[in-house]
Amino acid sequence: MTEISKAYEPQSVETKWYDFWVEQGCFTADPARVSASRPAYSIVIPPPNVTGVLTLGHVLNNTIQDILARKARMDGKEVLWLPGTDHAGIATQNVVEKTLKKAGEIKHRDDLGREALVARIWEWKEKYGGIILKQLRALGASCDWTRTRFTMDPEYSRCVQGVFVDLYKKGLIYRGKRMVNWCPASLTALSDEEVTMKEQRGFMYHFRVEVVEHPGTFLTIATTRPETIPADTAVAVNPKDPRYQHLIGKHVYKALPLDVPKEQRVIPIIADDHVDFEFGTGVLKVTPAHDKADFEIGLRHKLPVIDVLTPDGKMTAEAGAELAGLDRFAARKKSAELMEAAGSLEKAEPYVNNVGFSERADVPIEPRLSEQWFLKYPSVEASKACVADGSMRFFPDRWAKVYDHWMTGIQDWCISRQLWWGHRIPVWYRGDEIHCGLDAPAGDGWTQDSDVLDTWFSSWLWPFATMGWTDNKTTDAANATLKAFYPTTDLVTGPDIIFFWVARMIMAGYEYMGDLPFKNVYFTGIIRDKQGRKMSKSLGNSPDPLDLIAKYGADALRFGVMRAAPLGQDVLFDETAVELGRNFCNKLWNACRFRQMHGGETEQEVNPALLTTDDRWILGRLDLAIREVTQAFAEYKFSDATATLYRFFWGEYCDWYVEASKPVLGMPGEPPTDPAKVAQRNNKLAVIDFVLGHTLRLFHPFLPFITEELWHGMAFNTDLPADRGGKTLLYASWPKAFDDDERAYFRVDPVIEASAQARFDLVTLGRNLRAQSNIPSNKRVPFVIRPAAPLPQEELDILKGLLNAEALTLAATDWQAPKGTPVAANAVGELFLPLAGLVDVEAERARQEKELAKVRSEIQKVQDKLANPAFTQKVPASVLAEHQQRLIDWQAKEKQILSTLH
RNA sequence: GCGAGAUUAGCUCAGUGGUAGAGCACUUGCUUCACACGCAAGGGGUCGCAGGUUCGAAACCUGCAUCUCGCACCA
């Protein structure tokens, strides 16, 4: 047994053990070890952005994965936790471009050109990328680092492009000119999922246009985007709207641009059902180039398309000389001013509407007509069915409904991006010829499509592309990793990427592996601050996890976060949660120190014949804790597990069992000499070792570092096989709840547990008497006890210790407590605090009166119930009996109070 | 507009038909020989509102209010 220091110092312990685990290959998965008796457990990390740094969100997510992986190892499974990073197209390209601009190397990415920029990004990635994976080590993440993957690894890229070619050949990928979501900041198309709606305050502009055929007749139109008026190619009314029916087929003069002669601004008035005549004025300006719905109207009525916006959101010359070159928002103001000056603006009233924003660049997107690649999703039915029929489970399961809803209304996916960093689209062009394949076709003059694929088009292959999948049946059949570890067991991720990633992985899994990619999906909550706000850099409310680890230790951070994160709920993070984790680790540390102070390399087995009531009680509590924690794991309720562990270890083991064991153990360094007491003491130490050994194992998934340190410090590893806890706690077996034989062996039963509990309750009552009588807790006072049934001397000694009593005297049969003596009682007996002169008789009397009132109100409540025939006749026998017993208990209490009150 | 979730102690949350709970915070007393990152005791809640079902409702049902999050979206 090595000596344990007074306070737990996490820093050196953490690096020591992490290095040890990695050096010993403890995290390395070997498919060859998988067998019927050693099943596989696998989990793939949601690959963080390669430019990312660790946030509390990652801490939550990866701690859960680590807990699952470590528990699975202790269950004797062959565990693969596969790590890696995502190339994250837009985000990464932005980061590197910004860095280069800041360094003054470039003003624009065109200064470098495509190949050079991509080369610089690779350089950057090699140098600074993947920091987050190193940071995960500080958290204790037990990933198999030998299998770290990147979504742009050469083999991975082949998978991505191969899948593109395959889906193209299947006719599921097609190219088309469509309205897409265009990001004017990133200059690329986006998928619908990358657009979030935000409420915006703006204005509803009402302006009027003159009907060509009826000079002097005007139509009033409402719009939030007057800058697009030059792009209008019609105005539309509902065919059933009586106000405008007579004008259908006639024309109006567009309000802008004013520098174009009136005759060249004539556009038709058309009728379309899309127009809601309740909204605005019932007249809709139709701008096919800049609105999705208008584009559809344009198609129906064969309207021309006029584009007045550049890709980066500035007005073109076609918008007119006065608007040309202006940014779209400046142009909005300007166009209103122009109409105002021309007298066509009727009013501009404040208005709140929903505007689509680019999720990443945080600017309003523009609907834009452009040529893009689209995917018609594969394996949709199988993917829907597996969640609906429960073969894949979501935790919490309400996400299943969200998933189903999205899968039902699923739209084709725009997968091309106008970026340089990413997987290049494997399509080549020569004149009118198109070739889709991994390599350029033979012959000269072929040029590759300049677009790259949406990042998620590579992420969706993650569960199998990381395992060496090739889409070659022979190769894949011989792939031991795939065979052993696919489908994976659990996926842990945030619900914000359920469509981006989870749903798409399921479809890819069915399409390419013929099976679901994971069996269970755990959706974490979102980490928020104490006020419930999202963590963000600009708010400065996002603490750096590495700082927290340095200050409190990784175990403290893990425990604090897990304790605060109930399944499916957002986590309101507060540093005091980590402090609590730190305090808990310290408690665990000191409980082991206490055991060590009593020395004794006893290492003996527990002798059932010598077990005391307390021993049997704590073994029963341990058994219950094992059951509860194991059950919590089965339901992915990690906060329940930590709550149980906290209660058991602190509230039961430390507060009661350890305190009660002190009289038996004697003073440290002064062991008893009486042989009977020595045997008692050694057995007590054996029970303590038994409980601590189990406790460390129960805690290990949550607190990997401190438990490993104590496992060795307490020498619990000796005598165990190397692969079952001898070398590392990582592979010790997960504690099993007692079976009937074990319960009988340890003589654990509910009656014993209740009697031990009652003794502890009496102690609390006795301490209460002291406090009520204003006796300082360090002052030793004599107590008198009148047990309901005889108590052995050892138990009286324990009671005396727990009460911090000067003496605990047995009351003689004829002893009568002096009037006003504070007394407490329960099933164990009556406990008196005879302190003549020290106790304020009147105060004690008042206390007892108050107590009596409470007892009587309880009696009344139960009596009322029992007097109700409807109750006594209808209620189950057990409930009736329980109420009757309750009445007896309260009445006994009443009698006891009355007996000392006078 | 559609859907989901939430509403219990000052705060964060457990509690799915039978005596309202935990942690933190708070008050008080303790340098009791593992731990002041500790020990002990205590105060504090008409369980969002209104109905209903039931012998009995924090829990089940209906409606309402408030908040959060998805999805859709009318210029």
Side-chain angles (χ1 to χ4, degrees):
Chain A
M1 210 185 269
T2 52
E3 195 180 334
I4 300 178
S5 64
K6 175 166 174 164
Y8 175 55
E9 288 151 12
Q11 290 76 19
S12 59
V13 169
E14 290 174 4
T15 47
K16 177 179 78 181
W17 286 113
Y18 201 85
D19 292 348
F20 175 83
W21 292 325
V22 171
E23 278 160 23
Q24 298 288 314
C26 295
F27 304 155
T28 311
D30 183 356
R33 287 194 293 241
V34 173
S35 70
S37 61
R38 189 178 173 79
Y41 175 92
S42 54
I43 185 162
V44 290
I45 206 168
N49 182 340
V50 69
T51 63
V53 290
L54 196 68
T55 65
L56 282 171
H58 295 117
V59 169
L60 171 63
N61 189 288
N62 289 286
T63 297
I64 292 171
Q65 292 175 70
D66 194 49
I67 286 168
L68 289 168
R70 287 175 186 272
K71 165 71 161 49
R73 283 191 197 94
M74 295 179 79
D75 282 335
K77 293 177 181 165
E78 182 66 22
V79 172
L80 168 61
W81 182 12
L82 197 153
T85 48
D86 192 295
H87 68 281
I90 300 179
T92 306
Q93 186 172 323
N94 279 349
V95 166
V96 178
E97 269 185 52
K98 258 185 204 159
T99 314
L100 293 174
K101 280 177 193 163
K102 223 177 171 183
E105 287 196 49
I106 59 167
K107 284 211 169 87
H108 189 269
R109 64 190 189 211
D110 288 340
D111 296 348
L112 272 176
R114 181 171 195 142
E115 270 182 47
L117 182 74
V118 168
R120 293 300 294 269
I121 299 175
W122 272 111
E123 240 172 73
W124 190 95
K125 184 253 168 193
E126 295 306 329
K127 208 165 165 187
Y128 305 109
I131 288 176
I132 191 166
L133 297 185
K134 294 199 175 62
Q135 295 176 321
L136 280 176
R137 290 165 164 90
L139 189 65
S142 59
C143 301
D144 182 353
W145 301 110
T146 67
R147 293 174 185 266
T148 305
R149 297 287 184 267
F150 177 53
T151 51
M152 277 174 63
D153 286 338
E155 316 85 73
Y156 200 105
S157 290
R158 269 198 297 281
C159 294
V160 174
Q161 298 190 317
V163 162
F164 184 101
V165 173
D166 177 71
L167 292 169
Y168 179 86
K169 284 183 181 152
K170 286 174 177 162
L172 294 173
I173 284 182
Y174 60 92
R175 196 170 177 234
K177 203 166 187 186
R178 296 269 195 99
M179 287 300 272
V180 296
N181 308 299
W182 181 264
C183 175
S186 309
L187 302 180
T188 179
L190 300 174
S191 66
D192 294 343
E193 287 68 40
E194 286 164 290
V195 177
T196 54
M197 303 305 279
K198 284 197 193 181
E199 274 200 350
Q200 290 294 298
R201 288 161 192 264
F203 291 93
M204 180 67 84
Y205 300 90
H206 291 251
F207 66 100
R208 48 186 200 152
V209 291
E210 190 173 19
V211 179
V212 176
E213 289 81 355
H214 303 280
T217 303
F218 293 88
L219 284 177
T220 301
I221 306 175
T223 181
T224 53
R225 299 202 62 188
E227 75 278 13
T228 63
I229 292 173
D232 291 351
T233 51
V235 298
V237 296
N238 192 292
K240 296 187 198 79
D241 191 335
R243 290 171 296 179
Y244 306 116
Q245 267 171 350
H246 64 289
L247 295 174
I248 293 166
K250 309 268 167 69
H251 298 78
V252 298
Y253 297 111
K254 276 203 291 196
L256 295 171
L258 290 170
D259 52 329
V260 169
K262 211 175 164 184
E263 309 73 57
Q264 289 175 32
R265 285 190 266 131
V266 174
I267 54 173
I269 301 168
I270 59 172
D272 196 284
D273 286 328
H274 171 75
V275 181
D276 176 356
F277 47 87
E278 307 266 309
F279 190 91
T281 60
V283 186
L284 171 70
K285 66 193 266 309
V286 184
T287 324
H290 301 298
D291 185 279
K292 236 176 195 172
D294 289 7
F295 180 74
E296 299 295 323
I297 296 175
L299 285 182
R300 285 199 285 273
H301 298 271
K302 299 190 171 58
L303 298 174
V305 176
I306 304 173
D307 190 340
V308 296
L309 281 169
T310 61
D312 61 348
K314 294 194 169 56
M315 306 307 293
T316 65
E318 283 193 86
E322 318 218 39
L323 294 181
L326 286 181
D327 180 79
R328 51 190 168 147
F329 303 112
R332 185 167 306 165
K333 267 178 105 174
K334 181 77 180 175
S335 51
E337 286 163 19
L338 291 173
M339 288 194 291
E340 172 121 61
S344 53
L345 187 70
E346 287 186 345
K347 59 180 175 180
E349 44 191 26
Y351 187 74
V352 175
N353 67 337
N354 284 321
V355 176
F357 271 66
S358 158
E359 198 187 39
R360 193 152 288 280
D362 201 33
V363 297
I365 56 107
E366 282 296 334
R368 182 178 173 85
L369 187 64
S370 68
E371 184 117 74
Q372 303 288 345
W373 288 95
F374 296 89
L375 167 67
K376 196 180 284 292
Y377 284 102
S379 296
V380 173
E381 285 315 311
S383 302
K384 254 181 93 166
C386 72
V387 175
D389 69 19
S391 46
M392 179 187 292
R393 298 186 62 193
F394 283 4
F395 296 87
D397 63 0
R398 65 189 144 87
W399 293 109
K401 218 170 180 177
V402 176
Y403 171 82
D404 193 70
H405 182 251
W406 187 77
M407 291 296 285
T408 303
I410 198 165
Q411 302 283 317
D412 291 357
W413 176 12
C414 174
I415 53 174
S416 45
R417 296 289 177 276
Q418 288 65 53
L419 301 170
W420 290 348
W421 175 245
H423 300 100
R424 196 90 178 250
I425 289 180
V427 172
W428 279 261
Y429 308 99
R430 184 169 68 182
D432 289 342
E433 297 173 84
I434 283 196
H435 171 80
C436 178
L438 291 181
D439 302 298
D444 293 333
W446 288 94
T447 50
Q448 188 171 3
D449 194 301
S450 59
D451 289 351
V452 299
L453 290 161
D454 181 4
T455 296
W456 298 103
F457 191 86
S458 56
S459 318
W460 76 326
L461 311 177
W462 189 248
F464 48 90
T466 50
M467 292 190 191
W469 174 80
T470 59
D471 203 18
N472 174 310
K473 285 211 167 64
T474 323
T475 326
D476 290 342
N479 181 327
T481 301
L482 269 183
K483 211 175 151 192
F485 295 113
Y486 190 96
T488 65
T489 317
D490 293 323
L491 177 78
V492 179
T493 191
D496 48 333
I497 53 175
I498 185 169
F499 310 136
F500 278 115
W501 196 46
V502 180
R504 289 165 180 169
M505 277 194 288
I506 297 171
M507 291 185 272
Y510 275 107
E511 186 69 9
Y512 289 102
M513 296 296 295
D515 201 353
L516 39 75
F518 24 75
K519 292 169 197 136
N520 307 293
V521 185
Y522 179 101
F523 289 105
T524 65
I526 295 164
I527 300 256
R528 299 172 180 278
D529 72 7
K530 223 177 158 181
Q531 283 90 47
R533 302 173 303 184
K534 274 191 187 175
M535 294 278 178
S536 80
K537 274 185 193 162
S538 54
L539 280 174
N541 60 351
S542 176
D544 183 345
L546 295 182
D547 291 345
L548 293 170
I549 290 173
K551 192 169 166 193
Y552 299 104
D555 289 330
L557 177 61
R558 293 167 62 114
F559 195 80
V561 167
M562 292 316 299
R563 214 177 146 276
L567 171 61
Q569 291 212 28
D570 287 355
V571 183
L572 298 200
F573 181 83
D574 181 6
E575 197 167 317
T576 58
V578 188
E579 214 175 296
L580 180 108
R582 187 264 321 260
N583 296 352
F584 189 79
C585 290
N586 195 55
K587 188 75 179 176
L588 183 59
W589 186 258
N590 276 289
C592 289
R593 276 186 73 219
F594 172 81
R595 164 64 187 90
Q596 202 181 47
M597 280 176 60
H598 287 89
E601 279 71 20
T602 58
E603 281 165 30
Q604 66 175 51
E605 291 292 309
V606 171
N607 177 356
L610 292 176
L611 288 174
T612 67
T613 308
D614 292 342
D615 295 335
R616 292 154 73 187
W617 173 77
I618 197 63
L619 291 168
R621 303 314 290 175
L622 172 66
D623 178 45
L624 179 66
I626 295 171
R627 283 175 207 280
E628 287 182 2
V629 173
T630 305
Q631 179 62 28
F633 264 103
E635 295 168 355
Y636 296 83
K637 290 183 173 172
F638 304 108
S639 59
D640 283 12
T642 53
T644 290
L645 290 169
Y646 194 96
R647 183 206 69 217
F648 166 72
F649 188 69
W650 199 315
E652 293 167 356
Y653 176 76
C654 290
D655 287 351
W656 291 106
Y657 184 72
V658 170
E659 292 305 321
S661 71
K662 283 178 176 176
V664 180
L665 295 175
M667 294 292 266
E670 298 169 35
T673 47
D674 173 4
K677 287 193 170 169
V678 169
Q680 277 287 355
R681 178 176 180 276
N682 285 346
N683 204 53
K684 182 72 72 184
L685 290 174
V687 173
I688 289 176
D689 286 341
F690 183 88
V691 172
L692 286 179
H694 279 72
T695 302
L696 290 181
R697 287 188 278 149
L698 286 173
F699 276 123
H700 179 258
F702 298 90
L703 311 172
F705 295 110
I706 190 174
T707 50
E708 182 81 284
E709 176 73 6
L710 289 170
W711 185 251
H712 293 266
M714 301 295 290
F716 289 147
N717 60 319
T718 53
D719 298 337
L720 286 172
D723 62 349
R724 291 276 71 180
K727 187 166 83 180
T728 159
L729 177 53
L730 211 83
Y731 292 118
S733 53
W734 181 254
K736 282 196 187 66
F738 298 160
D739 58 25
D740 288 347
D741 286 349
E742 283 164 318
R743 290 181 71 83
Y745 180 78
F746 289 128
R747 300 191 290 146
V748 173
D749 69 68
V751 176
I752 281 296
E753 292 187 50
S755 83
Q757 191 60 57
R759 274 192 302 116
F760 296 147
D761 290 347
L762 188 64
V763 168
T764 298
L765 292 170
R767 287 167 173 172
N768 185 317
L769 294 183
R770 297 176 61 119
Q772 293 286 351
S773 308
N774 289 321
I775 296 164
S777 38
N778 60 337
K779 187 174 172 73
R780 302 188 149 217
V781 288
F783 278 91
V784 175
I785 189 168
R786 179 177 280 146
L791 285 173
Q793 186 58 44
E794 302 89 65
E795 301 213 350
L796 289 172
D797 289 345
I798 291 167
L799 285 175
K800 184 184 156 214
L802 292 173
L803 287 163
N804 194 22
E806 185 183 46
L808 181 61
T809 326
L810 278 173
T813 336
D814 59 349
W815 181 78
Q816 189 70 40
K819 187 180 172 187
T821 302
V823 62
N826 73 358
V828 178
E830 288 174 293
L831 188 63
F832 303 89
L833 181 54
L835 279 180
L838 280 183
V839 176
D840 180 339
V841 175
E842 270 316 300
E844 174 59 17
R845 186 185 176 81
R847 186 188 71 83
Q848 291 199 334
E849 296 279 12
K850 195 179 160 195
E851 177 96 10
L852 185 64
K854 195 202 160 197
V855 168
R856 283 182 165 159
S857 109
E858 291 296 335
I859 289 172
Q860 193 60 49
K861 271 202 272 188
V862 184
Q863 277 179 337
D864 287 351
K865 275 185 152 185
L866 289 172
N868 181 358
F871 175 79
T872 49
Q873 282 162 24
K874 288 189 182 176
V875 96
S878 63
V879 174
L880 185 61
E882 190 260 325
H883 277 77
Q884 284 163 341
Q885 184 59 48
R886 203 190 296 168
L887 181 61
I888 292 167
D889 291 346
W890 284 120
Q891 282 171 336
K893 186 125 192 167
E894 182 191 29
K895 195 179 153 199
Q896 179 260 317
I897 293 173
L898 288 173
S899 75
T900 52
L901 199 53
H902 319 293

